[in-house]
Structures are given as structure tokens and as C-alpha cells.
Amino acid sequence: MNKRTWSIVLMLLLLVLTAAAVLSGRNGKYLDEPYEKEKVALDTLVSIKVYGEENRQVEQAVDLAIKEIEKVDKETDYYDPRSDISQLNKNAANNSNTPVPASAHLVEIISTCKELSRLSGGAFDLTLGPVIELWNFGGKGRVPSAHRLGNALALADMGGLKVDRKKSTVLFRRLHMQLDLGGVAKGYAADRAVDILKRKGIDSALVTTGSTTVVLGAKPDGKPWLVGIQHPRKEGKTLGTLELTNENVSTSGDYQRYFVRNGKRYHHILDPKTGLPANRCRSVTIVTKKSCTEADILSTAVFVMGASKGLDLLETLADTEGIIVDSRGKVHVTAGLEPRLSMSDE
Ligand code: AMP
Ligand code: MG
């Protein structure tokens, strides 16, 4: 064969190999750099990063996971009258004697919230719906009068929220009670997204829904994922970085959603005892092996409880650690987390 024929044969061979790689989808593009997709959902920025050998499998899994998060958004949105939670709020609010049917997903979320609410001494309270609405954090923000706050707070009653897992029903013992899932929906959505990724054969991923993150597996080279913790007073700066594999992380902070009136900051995490913004912490980060749902609930709950009671609670929970920045800026870290946390330079 002459030179020209050789180069044609080589080119054809290359073409066949490329076509075979594309057709089998096994060209390992996402072994060095993860496939990444971002989307606005749940009133926040959602981002999914996945490593994997088969390009198409990775891309399809990420698309399905994003769709799952959008589904959770539709199920849990307090302000969408068609959402499952709005339907439940409507059906249960005028019916303090008869349990009403609820989706298996809602029953699962509410059950987990009830359990952790009990453990946190009521710091986490799903029944603050009317109080949260009054503050209008999603809009311009408004400081409610003591009278209106008192009336809305009188509708909250976590103890009066009953769930029957077997029958898949929910009962509001207090008339006109309304559930707000804002403190748990992002973590729950991340769990649902990761379930989809796992089912599609993915074993290395980072799913972030705003301030909650699921770390699935390690990176392909075996190294842990790095997760930065936002500094509560230095915008765009980290307080520290965590090296993680197979963990769930959630941060609740007074800087995430707030408005300023007459020089005072009013933020979105409310103390169920007063209906006012909880004032014991600047931020709380929870790291747990259990689930992102639990990480999310606990970060909100510990934020309300404050450093002392919060650390006591974390101490009693297996595979659960935390970083608490108290109202003076002092940083408290549980012993189990210290080796994995690198604090940023001042
Ligand atoms: P997170 O960012 O997870 O701490 O959740 C804050 C959101 O949870 C708020 O925007 C409210 O929708 C809701 N929320 C506020 N205070 C509480 C509370 N004490 N218990 C449960 N949910 C709350
Ligand atoms: Mg939360």
C-alpha cells in the first residue's frame, strides 16, 4: 500500500473507533471532569455534578435527577395552590376531627419532621405556616404587629399534627393550621435526586439544592469531595472547607434570607416560642450520614436552639456532626468533625 492508501485506512479506522465509542456511549468524558447541570428550582439554585464512565448514562441520570427536584418543588410549594402541600393545608385545616388523605411522600416528610421536632424540643415547627406568611420574606418583608403575630402563632401546634403512615393520612387537630415545608424541602429534594442517580447506576456525585448538599461516593481518583461552608458575615468567603464522602450537609443562616428595617436584620428562621427571628446563631451546618432531609431539619432546629442546647442534641445523635457560629461569631465544632474541617484564614 502506498502512503495515501495508508492514511485513508487509518482515517477510516479512527472513524470506526470514534463511532463505536459514541454508539456505546462509553467514552469516559466525565471521568476527568464531572458533567454539571444547574437549574433554578425550590426558590434557589440547584446544581448536580456527576462523574461516570458512560457519557450518555451520566447525562440521562442528571436530567432525570433535575426533573425529580422539580417534582418535589411542585409537591412542596406553599405558595402554589396546586401543590400537594397546599391541597393538604386546604383539606386538613377545616377538619380537626377527621384525618385526610395525603401522598406517601408528604407522610414521609411530616413523620421525619415530627420525630426531629420532638428531639429538638419543638425548635423545628412545621406548623408555623401562617406566621411565616406574615413576615413575607419571599417578598419585600414586613414586621408584623404583635397582635397579628399572636393570632398567627395561636394557629401553630406541632403536637396537634398527627400522621398515620399505614393509612397515609394527616390530621390537623387545630383549626386553620397550615404546614410550611421550607425548612426541609431542599434537603428532601436532594435525597430524592440522589435516589434517582443511584438507581441509574451513578456512584460519584454532588447534588446541591441551595444550602443543602448530598455527597455521593468519592471522586473517581478516590479523593473526597470538597464542600465549602459559607462564612455568615463575609459574602462569597468560606468559613472553612470539609473533605467528604457519602455525607449530607445542610447550612441554615441568618444571611440567607432577610430584610433590614430601621437598621435591624430580620431573617427567615423563626423561634416557634415567639414567632420572631431566632437570635442565638448566625449559622449552623449539619453533616450527617443519615439523610439530607434530616440534615436540613437539624440545621434549622439547631439554629433555633443555639450553641449550648444544639451541641447537646448533636452529641446524642449517631453519625451526626455540626458547626455552629453563635450570635457573637464564636465557632463551635463537634469533636467528630474537627479532623475533616479546614478553617479558612481570617
Ligand atoms: P432553612 O433554610 O432550612 O433553615 O429553612 C428556613 C425556612 O424554614 C424558612 O424560610 C421557613 O419557611 C421555615 N422555617 C422558619 N422557621 C422555622 C422553624 N422554627 N421550624 C421549621 N421551619 C421553619
Ligand atoms: Mg432546614
Side-chain angles (χ1 to χ4, degrees):
M1 272 193 278
N2 62 23
K3 233 174 156 185
R4 198 180 134 85
T5 325
W6 263 117
S7 51
I8 291 174
V9 168
L10 268 176
M11 257 168 67
L12 278 174
L13 198 70
L14 209 74
L15 220 92
V16 169
L17 283 176
T18 316
V22 168
L23 282 176
S24 73
R26 231 178 230 286
N27 35 17
K29 195 159 58 161
Y30 306 125
L31 280 176
D32 297 328
E33 285 294 322
Y35 178 57
E36 184 172 4
K37 215 164 179 182
E38 288 186 340
K39 188 101 199 197
V40 174
L42 296 160
D43 221 2
T44 189
L45 186 66
V46 167
S47 127
I48 302 188
K49 284 185 193 174
V50 169
Y51 283 109
E53 201 178 329
E54 298 188 26
N55 297 355
R56 257 185 308 150
Q57 178 201 17
V58 166
E59 289 161 8
Q60 281 171 357
V62 170
D63 285 346
L64 285 174
I66 295 261
K67 283 209 180 91
E68 191 70 6
I69 291 174
E70 289 172 329
K71 254 196 238 168
V72 175
D73 196 358
K74 290 214 174 83
E75 291 169 17
T76 58
D77 187 353
Y78 186 90
Y79 294 97
D80 177 355
R82 292 160 305 175
S83 70
D84 293 2
I85 191 65
S86 294
Q87 292 297 320
L88 174 66
N89 278 338
K90 195 169 123 219
N91 296 336
N94 297 312
N95 224 335
S96 65
N97 288 314
T98 327
V100 299
S103 72
H105 287 149
L106 281 188
V107 166
E108 182 191 335
I109 302 175
I110 296 169
S111 303
T112 313
C113 287
K114 270 187 69 81
E115 170 66 9
L116 288 179
S117 176
R118 192 178 58 76
L119 290 179
S120 67
F124 190 86
D125 193 330
L126 277 186
T127 67
L128 291 173
V131 182
I132 294 164
E133 232 179 287
L134 264 188
W135 284 94
N136 190 27
F137 289 108
K140 280 188 183 155
R142 152 183 62 207
V143 182
S145 69
H147 177 69
R148 297 188 87 187
L149 198 58
N151 286 343
L153 208 52
L155 303 177
D157 179 16
M158 199 58 189
L161 171 63
K162 307 287 178 193
V163 214
D164 189 324
R165 292 187 95 132
K166 277 203 195 113
K167 292 188 183 146
S168 204
T169 58
V170 174
L171 174 71
F172 293 0
R173 276 249 174 264
R174 189 159 302 195
L175 280 173
H176 309 306
M177 196 158 99
Q178 298 281 282
L179 307 186
D180 178 298
L181 303 179
V184 60
K186 290 194 272 299
Y188 173 73
D191 280 336
R192 288 259 299 266
V194 168
D195 281 347
I196 296 281
L197 293 179
K198 282 190 197 158
R199 251 189 272 156
K200 294 292 162 192
I202 303 299
D203 58 12
S204 174
L206 199 71
V207 174
T208 303
T209 49
S211 49
T212 67
T213 296
V214 180
V215 182
L216 176 65
K219 292 186 180 178
D221 60 5
K223 289 202 178 125
W225 291 88
L226 294 184
V227 176
I229 311 296
Q230 171 63 43
H231 193 294
R233 289 293 177 272
K234 296 178 188 166
E235 209 184 322
K237 294 253 164 68
T238 56
L239 179 73
T241 311
L242 289 163
E243 291 193 356
L244 301 173
T245 48
N246 289 320
E247 294 276 4
N248 305 283
V249 188
S250 172
T251 298
S252 290
D254 64 3
Y255 58 88
Q256 290 169 344
R257 188 166 282 215
Y258 67 93
F259 62 88
V260 177
R261 240 358 81 80
N262 301 325
K264 194 170 152 48
R265 177 200 296 252
Y266 296 94
H267 67 82
H268 67 145
I269 305 169
L270 304 177
D271 187 335
K273 290 204 176 98
T274 59
L276 300 170
N279 57 13
R280 295 187 183 92
C281 296
R282 292 180 181 178
S283 76
V284 172
T285 299
I286 300 292
V287 181
T288 178
K289 291 265 179 220
K290 289 180 177 160
S291 69
C292 204
T293 304
E294 288 177 61
D296 196 356
I297 298 171
L298 281 172
S299 68
T300 310
V302 170
F303 188 101
V304 173
M305 296 169 87
S308 168
K309 284 191 179 158
L311 287 170
D312 286 351
L313 170 65
L314 295 179
E315 218 42 65
T316 66
L317 301 173
D319 294 327
T320 306
E321 307 290 340
I323 305 165
I324 302 173
V325 183
D326 68 21
S327 56
R328 292 194 202 152
K330 185 166 182 239
V331 183
H332 309 254
V333 184
T334 55
L337 200 61
E338 264 183 46
R340 287 181 285 167
L341 172 67
S342 320
M343 293 299 283
S344 304
D345 296 333
E346 278 301 303

mmCIF file of all heavy atoms in Angstrom, residues 229-264:
data_model
loop_
_atom_site.group_PDB
_atom_site.id
_atom_site.type_symbol
_atom_site.label_atom_id
_atom_site.label_comp_id
_atom_site.label_asym_id
_atom_site.label_seq_id
_atom_site.Cartn_x
_atom_site.Cartn_y
_atom_site.Cartn_z
ATOM 1 N N ILE A 229 -18.013 25.847 53.362
ATOM 2 C CA ILE A 229 -19.073 26.355 54.239
ATOM 3 C C ILE A 229 -19.044 27.879 54.159
ATOM 4 O O ILE A 229 -18.019 28.498 54.469
ATOM 5 C CB ILE A 229 -18.822 25.957 55.728
ATOM 6 C CG1 ILE A 229 -18.496 24.462 55.858
ATOM 7 C CG2 ILE A 229 -19.978 26.375 56.623
ATOM 8 C CD1 ILE A 229 -19.588 23.547 55.462
ATOM 9 N N GLN A 230 -20.154 28.472 53.769
ATOM 10 C CA GLN A 230 -20.241 29.932 53.627
ATOM 11 C C GLN A 230 -19.990 30.640 54.968
ATOM 12 O O GLN A 230 -20.529 30.233 56.002
ATOM 13 C CB GLN A 230 -21.634 30.287 53.082
ATOM 14 C CG GLN A 230 -21.967 31.773 53.066
ATOM 15 C CD GLN A 230 -21.046 32.570 52.147
ATOM 16 O OE1 GLN A 230 -20.752 32.142 51.029
ATOM 17 N NE2 GLN A 230 -20.596 33.712 52.625
ATOM 18 N N HIS A 231 -19.169 31.675 54.939
ATOM 19 C CA HIS A 231 -18.979 32.496 56.149
ATOM 20 C C HIS A 231 -20.233 33.350 56.344
ATOM 21 O O HIS A 231 -20.661 34.030 55.403
ATOM 22 C CB HIS A 231 -17.746 33.397 55.978
ATOM 23 C CG HIS A 231 -17.302 34.028 57.259
ATOM 24 N ND1 HIS A 231 -18.068 34.961 57.926
ATOM 25 C CD2 HIS A 231 -16.197 33.843 58.010
ATOM 26 C CE1 HIS A 231 -17.454 35.328 59.016
ATOM 27 N NE2 HIS A 231 -16.299 34.660 59.102
ATOM 28 N N PRO A 232 -20.822 33.346 57.537
ATOM 29 C CA PRO A 232 -22.104 34.055 57.688
ATOM 30 C C PRO A 232 -22.013 35.584 57.611
ATOM 31 O O PRO A 232 -23.038 36.242 57.462
ATOM 32 C CB PRO A 232 -22.600 33.608 59.074
ATOM 33 C CG PRO A 232 -21.404 33.113 59.794
ATOM 34 C CD PRO A 232 -20.449 32.597 58.755
ATOM 35 N N ARG A 233 -20.800 36.133 57.704
ATOM 36 C CA ARG A 233 -20.692 37.602 57.659
ATOM 37 C C ARG A 233 -19.783 38.101 56.534
ATOM 38 O O ARG A 233 -19.655 39.301 56.357
ATOM 39 C CB ARG A 233 -20.178 38.140 59.003
ATOM 40 C CG ARG A 233 -21.208 38.040 60.123
ATOM 41 C CD ARG A 233 -22.405 38.955 59.878
ATOM 42 N NE ARG A 233 -23.425 38.797 60.908
ATOM 43 C CZ ARG A 233 -24.410 37.901 60.849
ATOM 44 N NH1 ARG A 233 -24.517 37.089 59.820
ATOM 45 N NH2 ARG A 233 -25.297 37.811 61.825
ATOM 46 N N LYS A 234 -19.125 37.191 55.802
ATOM 47 C CA LYS A 234 -18.249 37.629 54.703
ATOM 48 C C LYS A 234 -18.765 37.037 53.407
ATOM 49 O O LYS A 234 -18.527 35.852 53.130
ATOM 50 C CB LYS A 234 -16.806 37.181 54.953
ATOM 51 C CG LYS A 234 -16.190 37.805 56.175
ATOM 52 C CD LYS A 234 -14.786 37.271 56.363
ATOM 53 C CE LYS A 234 -14.198 37.718 57.683
ATOM 54 N NZ LYS A 234 -12.998 36.972 58.030
ATOM 55 N N GLU A 235 -19.494 37.865 52.662
ATOM 56 C CA GLU A 235 -20.137 37.381 51.444
ATOM 57 C C GLU A 235 -19.117 36.782 50.471
ATOM 58 O O GLU A 235 -18.063 37.379 50.230
ATOM 59 C CB GLU A 235 -20.886 38.544 50.781
ATOM 60 C CG GLU A 235 -22.078 38.067 49.997
ATOM 61 C CD GLU A 235 -22.766 39.203 49.271
ATOM 62 O OE1 GLU A 235 -22.853 40.316 49.833
ATOM 63 O OE2 GLU A 235 -23.211 38.953 48.132
ATOM 64 N N GLY A 236 -19.419 35.616 49.951
ATOM 65 C CA GLY A 236 -18.540 34.989 48.965
ATOM 66 C C GLY A 236 -17.290 34.364 49.553
ATOM 67 O O GLY A 236 -16.446 33.847 48.828
ATOM 68 N N LYS A 237 -17.137 34.425 50.890
ATOM 69 C CA LYS A 237 -15.959 33.823 51.540
ATOM 70 C C LYS A 237 -16.382 32.592 52.329
ATOM 71 O O LYS A 237 -17.494 32.540 52.852
ATOM 72 C CB LYS A 237 -15.320 34.828 52.511
ATOM 73 C CG LYS A 237 -14.731 36.038 51.841
ATOM 74 C CD LYS A 237 -13.205 35.941 51.872
ATOM 75 C CE LYS A 237 -12.513 36.877 50.912
ATOM 76 N NZ LYS A 237 -12.619 38.289 51.232
ATOM 77 N N THR A 238 -15.477 31.625 52.413
ATOM 78 C CA THR A 238 -15.831 30.437 53.189
ATOM 79 C C THR A 238 -15.324 30.551 54.624
ATOM 80 O O THR A 238 -14.304 31.188 54.894
ATOM 81 C CB THR A 238 -15.232 29.148 52.566
ATOM 82 O OG1 THR A 238 -13.825 29.324 52.468
ATOM 83 C CG2 THR A 238 -15.827 28.838 51.211
ATOM 84 N N LEU A 239 -16.083 29.918 55.505
ATOM 85 C CA LEU A 239 -15.660 29.812 56.908
ATOM 86 C C LEU A 239 -14.624 28.691 57.000
ATOM 87 O O LEU A 239 -13.661 28.758 57.755
ATOM 88 C CB LEU A 239 -16.893 29.439 57.746
ATOM 89 C CG LEU A 239 -16.731 29.244 59.230
ATOM 90 C CD1 LEU A 239 -16.527 30.594 59.898
ATOM 91 C CD2 LEU A 239 -17.965 28.565 59.812
ATOM 92 N N GLY A 240 -14.854 27.673 56.186
ATOM 93 C CA GLY A 240 -13.950 26.528 56.157
ATOM 94 C C GLY A 240 -14.366 25.568 55.060
ATOM 95 O O GLY A 240 -15.345 25.805 54.356
ATOM 96 N N THR A 241 -13.585 24.502 54.913
ATOM 97 C CA THR A 241 -13.863 23.516 53.872
ATOM 98 C C THR A 241 -13.876 22.118 54.489
ATOM 99 O O THR A 241 -13.062 21.815 55.363
ATOM 100 C CB THR A 241 -12.749 23.572 52.796
ATOM 101 O OG1 THR A 241 -12.571 24.931 52.426
ATOM 102 C CG2 THR A 241 -13.131 22.779 51.566
ATOM 103 N N LEU A 242 -14.798 21.299 54.019
ATOM 104 C CA LEU A 242 -14.907 19.933 54.528
ATOM 105 C C LEU A 242 -14.518 18.941 53.440
ATOM 106 O O LEU A 242 -14.875 19.121 52.278
ATOM 107 C CB LEU A 242 -16.347 19.640 54.944
ATOM 108 C CG LEU A 242 -16.855 20.352 56.194
ATOM 109 C CD1 LEU A 242 -18.376 20.315 56.243
ATOM 110 C CD2 LEU A 242 -16.270 19.696 57.441
ATOM 111 N N GLU A 243 -13.794 17.894 53.818
ATOM 112 C CA GLU A 243 -13.477 16.806 52.889
ATOM 113 C C GLU A 243 -14.452 15.676 53.170
ATOM 114 O O GLU A 243 -14.449 15.114 54.266
ATOM 115 C CB GLU A 243 -12.052 16.308 53.135
ATOM 116 C CG GLU A 243 -11.011 17.304 52.739
ATOM 117 C CD GLU A 243 -9.624 16.674 52.698
ATOM 118 O OE1 GLU A 243 -9.478 15.489 53.060
ATOM 119 O OE2 GLU A 243 -8.700 17.385 52.294
ATOM 120 N N LEU A 244 -15.301 15.339 52.202
ATOM 121 C CA LEU A 244 -16.398 14.412 52.496
ATOM 122 C C LEU A 244 -16.593 13.332 51.443
ATOM 123 O O LEU A 244 -16.414 13.571 50.242
ATOM 124 C CB LEU A 244 -17.715 15.192 52.619
ATOM 125 C CG LEU A 244 -17.792 16.291 53.685
ATOM 126 C CD1 LEU A 244 -19.083 17.063 53.540
ATOM 127 C CD2 LEU A 244 -17.682 15.713 55.082
ATOM 128 N N THR A 245 -16.985 12.146 51.900
ATOM 129 C CA THR A 245 -17.514 11.097 51.010
ATOM 130 C C THR A 245 -18.774 10.564 51.685
ATOM 131 O O THR A 245 -18.786 10.375 52.904
ATOM 132 C CB THR A 245 -16.537 9.905 50.848
ATOM 133 O OG1 THR A 245 -16.084 9.516 52.137
ATOM 134 C CG2 THR A 245 -15.344 10.242 49.995
ATOM 135 N N ASN A 246 -19.799 10.321 50.900
ATOM 136 C CA ASN A 246 -21.073 9.788 51.422
ATOM 137 C C ASN A 246 -21.574 10.520 52.669
ATOM 138 O O ASN A 246 -21.646 9.935 53.750
ATOM 139 C CB ASN A 246 -20.937 8.291 51.734
ATOM 140 C CG ASN A 246 -20.831 7.477 50.471
ATOM 141 O OD1 ASN A 246 -21.539 7.765 49.486
ATOM 142 N ND2 ASN A 246 -19.960 6.496 50.452
ATOM 143 N N GLU A 247 -21.899 11.796 52.506
ATOM 144 C CA GLU A 247 -22.423 12.572 53.632
ATOM 145 C C GLU A 247 -23.519 13.507 53.126
ATOM 146 O O GLU A 247 -23.638 13.749 51.925
ATOM 147 C CB GLU A 247 -21.325 13.452 54.257
ATOM 148 C CG GLU A 247 -20.207 12.698 54.933
ATOM 149 C CD GLU A 247 -20.510 12.284 56.367
ATOM 150 O OE1 GLU A 247 -21.640 12.513 56.837
ATOM 151 O OE2 GLU A 247 -19.590 11.731 57.001
ATOM 152 N N ASN A 248 -24.279 14.016 54.065
ATOM 153 C CA ASN A 248 -25.312 15.014 53.759
ATOM 154 C C ASN A 248 -25.000 16.271 54.554
ATOM 155 O O ASN A 248 -24.707 16.183 55.743
ATOM 156 C CB ASN A 248 -26.679 14.479 54.175
ATOM 157 C CG ASN A 248 -26.955 13.148 53.525
ATOM 158 O OD1 ASN A 248 -27.293 13.079 52.351
ATOM 159 N ND2 ASN A 248 -26.767 12.062 54.270
ATOM 160 N N VAL A 249 -25.050 17.411 53.879
ATOM 161 C CA VAL A 249 -24.664 18.664 54.533
ATOM 162 C C VAL A 249 -25.796 19.681 54.376
ATOM 163 O O VAL A 249 -26.374 19.801 53.293
ATOM 164 C CB VAL A 249 -23.395 19.261 53.878
ATOM 165 C CG1 VAL A 249 -22.888 20.452 54.676
ATOM 166 C CG2 VAL A 249 -22.303 18.219 53.742
ATOM 167 N N SER A 250 -26.102 20.397 55.443
ATOM 168 C CA SER A 250 -27.096 21.469 55.325
ATOM 169 C C SER A 250 -26.662 22.648 56.175
ATOM 170 O O SER A 250 -26.221 22.479 57.314
ATOM 171 C CB SER A 250 -28.459 20.982 55.802
ATOM 172 O OG SER A 250 -29.361 22.073 55.858
ATOM 173 N N THR A 251 -26.790 23.847 55.616
ATOM 174 C CA THR A 251 -26.476 25.064 56.374
ATOM 175 C C THR A 251 -27.715 25.944 56.476
ATOM 176 O O THR A 251 -28.381 26.199 55.472
ATOM 177 C CB THR A 251 -25.333 25.850 55.705
ATOM 178 O OG1 THR A 251 -24.158 25.038 55.688
ATOM 179 C CG2 THR A 251 -25.035 27.149 56.453
ATOM 180 N N SER A 252 -28.017 26.380 57.683
ATOM 181 C CA SER A 252 -29.060 27.382 57.903
ATOM 182 C C SER A 252 -28.367 28.635 58.395
ATOM 183 O O SER A 252 -27.525 28.557 59.302
ATOM 184 C CB SER A 252 -30.057 26.914 58.970
ATOM 185 O OG SER A 252 -30.836 25.857 58.476
ATOM 186 N N GLY A 253 -28.695 29.793 57.803
ATOM 187 C CA GLY A 253 -28.002 31.005 58.222
ATOM 188 C C GLY A 253 -28.914 32.222 58.199
ATOM 189 O O GLY A 253 -29.853 32.281 57.407
ATOM 190 N N ASP A 254 -28.578 33.195 59.056
ATOM 191 C CA ASP A 254 -29.409 34.413 59.116
ATOM 192 C C ASP A 254 -29.118 35.355 57.950
ATOM 193 O O ASP A 254 -29.759 36.384 57.797
ATOM 194 C CB ASP A 254 -29.216 35.131 60.462
ATOM 195 C CG ASP A 254 -27.798 35.645 60.658
ATOM 196 O OD1 ASP A 254 -26.961 35.497 59.739
ATOM 197 O OD2 ASP A 254 -27.521 36.197 61.747
ATOM 198 N N TYR A 255 -28.102 34.987 57.120
ATOM 199 C CA TYR A 255 -27.728 35.810 55.961
ATOM 200 C C TYR A 255 -28.422 35.316 54.687
ATOM 201 O O TYR A 255 -28.310 35.938 53.640
ATOM 202 C CB TYR A 255 -26.196 35.728 55.768
ATOM 203 C CG TYR A 255 -25.723 34.300 55.563
ATOM 204 C CD1 TYR A 255 -25.681 33.747 54.288
ATOM 205 C CD2 TYR A 255 -25.376 33.488 56.648
ATOM 206 C CE1 TYR A 255 -25.310 32.418 54.093
ATOM 207 C CE2 TYR A 255 -25.015 32.165 56.464
ATOM 208 C CZ TYR A 255 -24.985 31.645 55.183
ATOM 209 O OH TYR A 255 -24.635 30.330 54.997
ATOM 210 N N GLN A 256 -29.113 34.178 54.776
ATOM 211 C CA GLN A 256 -29.630 33.566 53.544
ATOM 212 C C GLN A 256 -30.892 34.251 53.025
ATOM 213 O O GLN A 256 -31.102 34.367 51.826
ATOM 214 C CB GLN A 256 -29.893 32.069 53.766
ATOM 215 C CG GLN A 256 -28.590 31.282 53.925
ATOM 216 C CD GLN A 256 -28.794 29.863 54.409
ATOM 217 O OE1 GLN A 256 -29.855 29.510 54.914
ATOM 218 N NE2 GLN A 256 -27.767 29.041 54.291
ATOM 219 N N ARG A 257 -31.752 34.648 53.917
ATOM 220 C CA ARG A 257 -32.989 35.327 53.509
ATOM 221 C C ARG A 257 -33.368 36.301 54.620
ATOM 222 O O ARG A 257 -33.717 35.862 55.720
ATOM 223 C CB ARG A 257 -34.078 34.279 53.300
ATOM 224 C CG ARG A 257 -35.338 34.823 52.703
ATOM 225 C CD ARG A 257 -36.221 33.715 52.209
ATOM 226 N NE ARG A 257 -35.744 33.203 50.934
ATOM 227 C CZ ARG A 257 -36.547 32.776 49.970
ATOM 228 N NH1 ARG A 257 -37.844 32.802 50.145
ATOM 229 N NH2 ARG A 257 -36.062 32.335 48.838
ATOM 230 N N TYR A 258 -33.269 37.585 54.341
ATOM 231 C CA TYR A 258 -33.553 38.561 55.400
ATOM 232 C C TYR A 258 -33.884 39.913 54.786
ATOM 233 O O TYR A 258 -33.674 40.148 53.597
ATOM 234 C CB TYR A 258 -32.350 38.688 56.348
ATOM 235 C CG TYR A 258 -31.121 39.309 55.703
ATOM 236 C CD1 TYR A 258 -30.875 40.683 55.775
ATOM 237 C CD2 TYR A 258 -30.213 38.511 55.017
ATOM 238 C CE1 TYR A 258 -29.764 41.240 55.170
ATOM 239 C CE2 TYR A 258 -29.095 39.062 54.417
ATOM 240 C CZ TYR A 258 -28.877 40.431 54.494
ATOM 241 O OH TYR A 258 -27.778 40.982 53.885
ATOM 242 N N PHE A 259 -34.429 40.789 55.615
ATOM 243 C CA PHE A 259 -34.580 42.184 55.206
ATOM 244 C C PHE A 259 -34.141 43.060 56.373
ATOM 245 O O PHE A 259 -34.076 42.586 57.519
ATOM 246 C CB PHE A 259 -36.027 42.484 54.765
ATOM 247 C CG PHE A 259 -37.074 42.314 55.834
ATOM 248 C CD1 PHE A 259 -37.411 43.361 56.686
ATOM 249 C CD2 PHE A 259 -37.724 41.091 56.006
ATOM 250 C CE1 PHE A 259 -38.373 43.197 57.675
ATOM 251 C CE2 PHE A 259 -38.684 40.923 56.988
ATOM 252 C CZ PHE A 259 -39.012 41.985 57.830
ATOM 253 N N VAL A 260 -33.800 44.310 56.075
ATOM 254 C CA VAL A 260 -33.346 45.217 57.141
ATOM 255 C C VAL A 260 -34.378 46.343 57.283
ATOM 256 O O VAL A 260 -34.781 46.949 56.292
ATOM 257 C CB VAL A 260 -31.951 45.802 56.807
ATOM 258 C CG1 VAL A 260 -31.515 46.796 57.883
ATOM 259 C CG2 VAL A 260 -30.916 44.678 56.685
ATOM 260 N N ARG A 261 -34.878 46.557 58.491
ATOM 261 C CA ARG A 261 -35.815 47.660 58.776
ATOM 262 C C ARG A 261 -35.263 48.441 59.956
ATOM 263 O O ARG A 261 -34.914 47.831 60.973
ATOM 264 C CB ARG A 261 -37.136 47.058 59.188
ATOM 265 C CG ARG A 261 -38.486 47.230 58.532
ATOM 266 C CD ARG A 261 -38.754 48.068 57.376
ATOM 267 N NE ARG A 261 -38.416 47.465 56.087
ATOM 268 C CZ ARG A 261 -39.174 46.579 55.433
ATOM 269 N NH1 ARG A 261 -40.339 46.229 55.909
ATOM 270 N NH2 ARG A 261 -38.789 46.090 54.283
ATOM 271 N N ASN A 262 -35.162 49.748 59.784
ATOM 272 C CA ASN A 262 -34.613 50.619 60.832
ATOM 273 C C ASN A 262 -33.313 50.064 61.407
ATOM 274 O O ASN A 262 -33.115 49.993 62.625
ATOM 275 C CB ASN A 262 -35.643 50.804 61.961
ATOM 276 C CG ASN A 262 -36.921 51.418 61.437
ATOM 277 O OD1 ASN A 262 -36.880 52.262 60.528
ATOM 278 N ND2 ASN A 262 -38.045 50.989 61.962
ATOM 279 N N GLY A 263 -32.452 49.635 60.497
ATOM 280 C CA GLY A 263 -31.120 49.177 60.904
ATOM 281 C C GLY A 263 -31.088 47.807 61.552
ATOM 282 O O GLY A 263 -30.034 47.349 61.988
ATOM 283 N N LYS A 264 -32.229 47.128 61.616
ATOM 284 C CA LYS A 264 -32.249 45.815 62.266
ATOM 285 C C LYS A 264 -32.483 44.721 61.224
ATOM 286 O O LYS A 264 -33.291 44.879 60.324
ATOM 287 C CB LYS A 264 -33.381 45.797 63.308
ATOM 288 C CG LYS A 264 -33.305 44.650 64.279
ATOM 289 C CD LYS A 264 -34.333 44.874 65.402
ATOM 290 C CE LYS A 264 -34.850 43.612 66.038
ATOM 291 N NZ LYS A 264 -33.943 42.617 66.449
#
